[in-house]
């Protein structure tokens, strides 16, 4: 993308570079603006991005990988646009018996979150990533994997300088109770035999209000918290390193190696919350999670266990107050 350098480029220059007319350039610029990219247009100067963009580059990302991580991966792809990075890798499950596939995209047109929600995916500022991994164990033994993946993401963020990150069961990443990142796991295979998991991560790095206008819940982006620019390729390398290490640790020890970190990061530990289930609501106090990743909820002296599935958690409103916190 020629405009990625943050400098002004005239319509004539752009047209010459990509082999099209100035009219076609104008239409392309208009399309980019509609997708959420902020572009300045100045008569006599041309077009310039509001902020310089570091485009994702496979070779640069690989340069940030630890040798053991690089050896564990079979392929790393970067796409300009995909409907969904998760969907893209799921289509290759039968072709990738050994796993170790990574896919990133600058933009998603049909990104997905938990419970069938749409993941808003504007171009170039955020992070849309999926990792395909092949497990020798069955899907039934992977309960708690999503929590382990959320801890891996928090580790990568801390390595990048973010100290205020927390987690919300089962796998949302928060800063000041606003959503910074989300994780979506999708499985293919038998419950008792070898299976394949695609770990999808959506992370807000540089998010503009116009590009995120469709989101109906509190959100935040990494650059706003750190108050500096973030190298997207370097962050991608760190995230892949931590996810691969966490997956290998999970294969060896399940969720147990991650429980202490989860307890330290749990945003709602000891707080009263409301669980929204398909058949109603349940109120109780969070008592952490068990070794399988199930949420422990205390009610009238009894502790009940809840697995993620179609469950959503939010803070309970205090008596007499109106709780306007959207479901995350």
């Amino acid at each position: 993308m020629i405009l990625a350098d943050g400098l002004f480029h005239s319509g004539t220059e752009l047209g010459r570079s990509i082999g099209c007319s100035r009219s076609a350039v104008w239409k392309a610029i208009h399309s980019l603006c509609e997708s959420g990219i902020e572009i300045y247009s100045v008569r006599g100067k041309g077009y310039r991005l509001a902020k310089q963009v570091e485009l994702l580059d496979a070779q640069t990302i690989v340069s940030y990988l630890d040798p053991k991580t690089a050896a564990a991966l079979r392929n790393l792809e970067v796409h300009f646009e995909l409907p969904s990075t998760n969907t893209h890798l799921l289509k290759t499950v039968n072709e990738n018996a050994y796993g170790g596939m990574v896919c990133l995209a600058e933009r998603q047109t049909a990104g997905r979150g938990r419970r069938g929600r749409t993941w808003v995916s504007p171009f170039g500022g955020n992070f849309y990533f999926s990792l395909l991994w092949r497990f020798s164990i069955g899907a039934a033994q992977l309960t708690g994997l999503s929590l382990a993946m959320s801890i891996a993401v928090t580790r990568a963020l801390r390595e990048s300088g973010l100290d205020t990150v927390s987690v919300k069961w089962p796998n949302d990443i928060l800063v000041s109770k606003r959503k910074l990142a989300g994780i979506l796991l999708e499985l293919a295979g038998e419950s008792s035999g070898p299976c394949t998991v695609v770990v999808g991560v959506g992370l807000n790095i540089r998010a503009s209000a116009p590009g995120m206008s469709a989101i109906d819940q509190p959100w935040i982006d990494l650059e706003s918290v750190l108050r500096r620019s973030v190298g997207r390729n370097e962050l991608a390398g760190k995230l892949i390193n931590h996810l691969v290490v966490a997956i290998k640790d999970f294969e060896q020890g399940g969720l147990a190696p991650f429980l202490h970190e989860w307890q330290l990061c749990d945003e709602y530990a000891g707080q009263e919350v409301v669980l929204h289930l398909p058949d109603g609501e349940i109120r109780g106090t969070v008592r952490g999670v068990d070794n399988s990743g199930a949420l422990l909820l205390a009610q009238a002296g009894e502790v009940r266990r809840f697995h993620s599935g179609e469950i959503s958690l939010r803070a309970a409103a205090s008596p007499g107050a109106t709780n306007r916190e959207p479901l995350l």
Side-chain angles (χ1 to χ4, degrees), residues 32-38 107-108 118-126 128 204 206-216 219:
L32 289 172
C33 290
E34 287 186 333
S35 71
I37 302 174
E38 295 181 86
R107 179 173 180 253
Q108 294 182 129
T118 298
W119 188 270
V120 178
S121 308
F123 175 86
N126 297 335
Y128 321 115
N204 301 329
R206 178 192 294 172
S208 65
M212 306 287 276
S213 60
I215 298 179
D216 62 353
W219 58 268

Side-chain angles (χ1 to χ4, degrees), residues 101-123:
M101 300 282 293
V102 170
C103 174
L104 303 98
E106 292 288 1
R107 179 173 180 253
Q108 294 182 129
T109 57
R112 305 193 309 281
R114 287 186 63 243
R115 305 179 74 212
R117 289 188 171 92
T118 298
W119 188 270
V120 178
S121 308
F123 175 86

